[in-house]
Amino acid sequence: MKSNQRLSDLRVMSGDQLHDELVKLKKEQFNLRFQRATGQLENMARVREVRRDIARVKTIQRTKLAAAAKG
């Protein structure tokens, strides 16, 4: 349910908003990797969530780009 809500929120975002969200997620991913390397990471599942959110944003960006090019 949570990912469905997240997905619908992402679909209504503009291209610039998606780009900003992608940058934010990549920064969070970097911080999580840094925490894991130093042994400070407590929520290991968050790494997976962030990686999948990045994939969702990229997929939606690609879909919107294809739709804009198509018509």
Side-chain angles (χ1 to χ4, degrees), residues 10-53:
L10 290 173
R11 283 196 174 127
V12 298
M13 288 184 178
S14 70
D16 289 336
Q17 289 172 326
L18 285 170
H19 179 72
D20 292 343
E21 184 71 17
L22 184 61
V23 169
K24 184 186 78 140
L25 286 167
K26 285 192 174 200
K27 284 181 183 178
E28 183 177 356
Q29 184 183 37
F30 174 78
N31 289 332
L32 289 171
R33 281 194 313 229
F34 197 85
Q35 288 176 8
R36 183 167 51 181
T38 59
Q40 297 175 349
L41 184 62
E42 294 178 11
N43 186 3
M44 294 294 289
R46 184 67 185 144
V47 175
R48 183 178 183 184
E49 291 172 12
V50 170
R51 189 176 69 238
R52 289 183 176 193
D53 283 344

